[in-house]
Amino acid sequence: MKKALRILFAMFFLSSMAWAGSPGVTFLLRSGQKVSFAFAQKPVISVSNADLSVSVSGVQRVSYAYADVQRIYLSDDVASGIAPVQSNSSQQSVTFSWQDGVLGASGLNPNEQVRVFGLDGKLALSGRAQADGSVQLSFSSIPQGVYVVRTQGGLSYKLFNK
């Protein structure tokens, strides 16, 4: 009964509060796990059957079994875990090229590492940029398929080796 009153109390505050920051909901689960959600709009918590669900603009975003939830916390600012993108004019401009099974990259920092991973996460190829900021990686020794190319500076993209 106490749990039901707490949840109803939380739902009341959630629906009646005017939120200044990023509205958020934190579920403390019986397993000890703490799960937080940040929303751009005010969320609505509802209880139906044996589930608790969080909806935004009428669209259900997440649902938990009522028996698995120990507490619900409401807060004005829940960290989303996504860092904002920083624009910086000093960022390098890397150019990739593909010709006859050879991946070329220019505009890298000297000695910057470029790695190629298979979709299984295993390293397939790697190389380091020369003093002029270029590197050449031959795909002739690896099987056809989809690969992820990642620079040491954090730039990455997918490539299909036919």
Side-chain angles (χ1 to χ4, degrees), residues 10 14 23 44 48 67 72 78-79 84 88 92 113 118-119 121 135 147 151 155:
L14 186 60
V44 175
S48 61
I72 299 174
V78 172
N88 185 339
Q92 65 192 56
Q113 189 170 29
L119 292 182
V135 67
Y147 294 90
T151 67
L155 182 65

Side-chain angles (χ1 to χ4, degrees), residues 8-110:
L8 289 174
F9 186 68
M11 287 174 31
F12 172 75
F13 271 113
L14 186 60
S15 62
S16 66
M17 288 176 66
W19 297 38
S22 298
V25 176
T26 299
F27 288 92
L28 178 60
L29 303 178
R30 294 209 182 277
S31 65
Q33 185 180 14
K34 186 176 179 181
V35 184
S36 296
F37 300 94
F39 300 98
Q41 300 173 350
K42 186 167 74 172
V44 175
I45 299 174
S46 59
V47 179
S48 61
N49 298 330
D51 294 331
L52 284 171
S53 61
V54 178
S55 304
V56 176
S57 299
V59 179
Q60 182 176 329
R61 303 294 183 188
V62 68
S63 180
Y64 284 100
Y66 181 79
D68 293 342
V69 178
Q70 184 175 357
R71 287 193 177 164
I72 299 174
Y73 297 95
L74 308 172
S75 61
D76 290 338
D77 291 306
V78 172
S80 69
I82 301 173
V85 176
Q86 300 292 325
S87 177
N88 185 339
S89 61
S90 68
Q91 286 181 327
Q92 65 192 56
S93 176
V94 178
T95 304
F96 293 98
S97 63
W98 179 263
Q99 186 173 358
D100 299 324
V102 176
L103 173 69
S106 60
L108 298 164
N109 292 323

